[in-house]
Amino acid sequence: MSSVEIRVSEALRAHLIEGARRSVRAPIGRFRHPWLAPMPRVEERDATSSEDDRFASGDYANALFHHDVSEAAIELARDPELAEACFGSLLCFLDNAAPNGCVRRIEMPFRTRDPEPAKPCMAQLALRAIDGIDDGLARADAARVLPRVVAFAEYLERETTGMHGLLLTPSARASGFDSDVLTAGLPDFSVEGPDTNTFMVLELRAIAELARLLGEDAIARVHAEKAEALAERIETLLWDDAERTYVALRWQHGASGRRDEIVGHRDERGVQRPLRSWISMLPLYAGIAAPDRAAAMFDAVLDPAQHWSPSGVRTVPADDVYFHQAPRVMVYDPRRSERRPVSNWSGPIWVLANYYTYRALQRYGRAEEARELARRTVRLLDDDLRDTGALHECYDDSARGLWPRRGTFISWNVLALTMARGETPILRGEQENF
């Protein structure tokens, strides 16, 4: 596909890059390296403390989030200064890993914020960061990045593999998609879904590539084989021919068959149906889906009555009974024995979901639809910045920013710049995943 650049206003470009620079934090407390928060500090409050947890108010400026920094690095590693912060973030996560290899999903300078494991995204972050810094591979080798990301992958395989041989999602919170219908409200470590397992395929491929670059051919071979075995298992177990989508499973003792284990609901006619979510598209992002399956899924992705909105990809289709675009959702948190507000992934448009869909469209030869999605994403952020002076983490169909109420959300919003350039990332062998 030829590269076609989409115009980004200078105001938006400057806001994203300067916002990312203002999100870089100096070493402090347990963090011995520069690191990257998802947003600059909210100006109205005292910026002297790095211990505050103000997530409920939408202020994420005092913490290091696994998935935010990993995906933002796709764009930010182009800039040497920001690539250093991405690499430093990786080392902060690895330095504070548990003795059993677990890398936790949110870390703060003076304490671990959450005990749940991160998504399998550390090796992907490593590859992105080292491409952007001087002597990146040598520095990664000196910091023992490879054995530490291997230890994390082995922890996930050992501690979170479910009864179907797929990885269990620790919780909707830990997935990063806080209210996603396939996991929210269900017991922790009970769902084997397309998101966690797709990210594990990408992580195993990234470990294989990092090992190859470091001359560790045996490690590379083992992890490449694991990646393809897991991809095959996703295709075998999570694809549902009747619904033409990828589903999530919950193992049930005594179930008469796999269909009884699909995470679903009874529709208005009393028929058991799989729940629908944007995360079912993620096997397309990783190139796992067979072409005919990808084509079937794109029918739903590109349908204006379902996922395809004027502002991008709805995270739940608009014709679904569970679709809504509220700014926040109340979800029960068993750690605290209470309901708490979380980000809404049950209908709003997120730049991250737009980016993954954009890359999936590119991968399967849907170039014009990919460009149109890039145009819609850039327009969404341009209009938000012009109208409000800030950017939000999610939006409704009318392009109204939903959350947070204060500050400006940077994080993976920077991927709008990646999309605007129309670039296909450099292929590493056949691993078009970095």
Side-chain angles (χ1 to χ4, degrees):
M1 188 184 90
S2 62
S3 178
V4 178
E5 184 153 0
I6 293 168
R7 184 179 179 278
V8 179
S9 73
E10 286 307 312
L12 177 59
R13 191 183 306 276
H15 188 87
L16 286 167
I17 297 304
E18 288 308 309
R21 293 188 191 284
R22 289 168 49 219
S23 301
V24 175
R25 305 281 180 265
I28 183 174
R30 302 184 307 147
F31 292 176
R32 297 185 293 119
H33 312 274
W35 55 284
L36 187 67
M39 61 191 293
R41 297 191 188 281
V42 176
E43 301 297 339
E44 299 88 59
R45 71 176 183 83
D46 178 9
T48 60
S49 173
S50 293
E51 298 187 62
D52 297 345
D53 176 346
R54 298 176 182 242
F55 298 173
S57 70
D59 183 352
Y60 312 125
N62 275 342
L64 179 55
F65 290 73
H66 65 302
H67 200 211
D68 291 68
V69 68
S70 172
E71 307 312 275
I74 294 169
E75 173 64 27
L76 297 183
R78 296 170 57 89
D79 180 295
E81 177 186 342
L82 295 171
E84 285 287 352
C86 294
F87 186 65
S89 298
L90 169 70
L91 297 184
C92 289
F93 275 119
L94 297 179
D95 289 349
N96 290 287
N100 63 4
C102 177
V103 176
R104 302 179 182 97
R105 69 187 186 96
I106 302 176
E107 292 284 4
M108 300 185 73
F110 297 99
R111 64 185 178 95
T112 292
R113 201 273 184 176
D114 283 301
E116 298 104 335
K119 272 191 182 75
C121 62
M122 291 294 123
Q124 296 164 76
L125 172 56
L127 284 178
R128 292 160 185 163
I130 65 178
D131 272 352
I133 61 175
D134 290 338
D135 300 320
L137 194 60
R139 291 173 60 185
D141 193 24
R144 300 184 63 256
V145 168
L146 179 60
R148 295 201 279 178
V149 296
V150 167
F152 179 42
E154 290 176 345
Y155 163 84
L156 292 173
E157 291 170 328
R158 184 175 64 248
E159 301 295 336
T160 72
T161 298
M163 295 294 286
H164 298 92
L166 296 160
L167 261 64
L168 294 160
T169 301
S171 68
R173 300 179 309 275
S175 77
F177 312 135
D178 302 346
S179 65
D180 183 80
V181 294
L182 297 188
T183 49
L186 292 171
D188 293 353
F189 293 99
S190 68
V191 175
E192 294 165 279
D195 54 338
T196 301
N197 286 282
T198 293
F199 288 120
M200 188 60 165
V201 170
L202 293 171
E203 186 72 353
L204 292 168
R205 289 174 178 170
I207 291 172
E209 175 60 14
L210 182 59
R212 186 190 67 78
L213 292 171
L214 290 168
E216 297 287 352
D217 293 340
I219 295 174
R221 184 173 58 257
V222 166
H223 287 82
E225 290 171 356
K226 284 184 177 183
E228 298 323 303
L230 180 55
E232 183 177 347
R233 188 166 287 140
I234 290 171
E235 284 287 84
T236 301
L237 295 177
L238 297 188
W239 176 255
D240 187 78
D241 269 326
E243 300 290 340
R244 303 172 77 208
T245 190
Y246 291 92
V247 298
L249 300 177
R250 289 189 68 214
W251 182 83
Q252 304 289 333
H253 180 75
S256 60
R258 171 185 157 279
R259 190 152 194 86
D260 292 343
E261 299 177 324
I262 293 175
V263 175
H265 70 122
R266 294 198 178 276
D267 66 14
E268 61 275 10
R269 296 170 298 168
V271 176
Q272 186 71 13
R273 303 286 298 278
L275 288 165
R276 295 190 289 165
S277 168
W278 76 281
I279 68 170
S280 295
M281 305 173 202
L282 285 168
L284 283 65
Y285 169 64
I288 294 169
D292 60 326
R293 295 178 176 183
M297 292 212 65
F298 284 136
D299 288 345
V301 171
L302 299 172
D303 182 354
Q306 298 187 58
H307 288 283
W308 196 247
S309 89
S311 300
V313 176
R314 302 180 184 104
T315 43
V316 163
D319 62 352
D320 193 277
V321 67
Y322 299 110
F323 167 82
H324 68 101
Q325 293 186 326
R328 300 283 269 172
V329 180
M330 294 292 285
V331 172
Y332 182 74
D333 186 343
R335 301 168 305 174
R336 297 180 173 89
S337 299
E338 64 180 9
R339 292 191 304 162
R340 292 175 63 85
V342 297
S343 297
N344 186 3
W345 291 86
S346 298
I349 293 98
W350 290 71
V351 169
L352 183 65
N354 282 3
Y355 174 77
Y356 287 150
T357 307
Y358 162 82
R359 290 288 294 115
L361 289 163
Q362 280 189 327
R363 179 186 287 281
Y364 288 94
R366 308 294 289 263
E368 186 49 47
E369 292 95 334
R371 283 192 287 268
E372 177 57 27
L373 182 52
R375 281 190 285 268
R376 294 184 187 196
T377 304
V378 169
R379 184 179 65 230
L380 173 69
L381 297 188
D382 257 329
D383 290 351
D384 188 24
L385 182 62
R386 181 197 64 216
D387 294 343
T388 71
L391 299 176
H392 295 79
E393 69 175 19
C394 57
Y395 297 84
D396 65 17
D397 279 5
S398 70
R400 178 174 64 102
L402 299 174
W403 190 258
R405 301 294 197 196
R406 300 183 303 138
T408 187
F409 185 77
I410 301 297
S411 185
W412 46 55
N413 282 350
V414 300
L415 293 173
L417 302 178
T418 312
M419 295 167 71
R421 280 192 299 276
E423 292 180 348
T424 299
I426 296 171
L427 302 187
R428 299 174 181 272
E430 294 186 0
Q431 311 301 334
E432 189 189 357
N433 302 294
F434 311 114

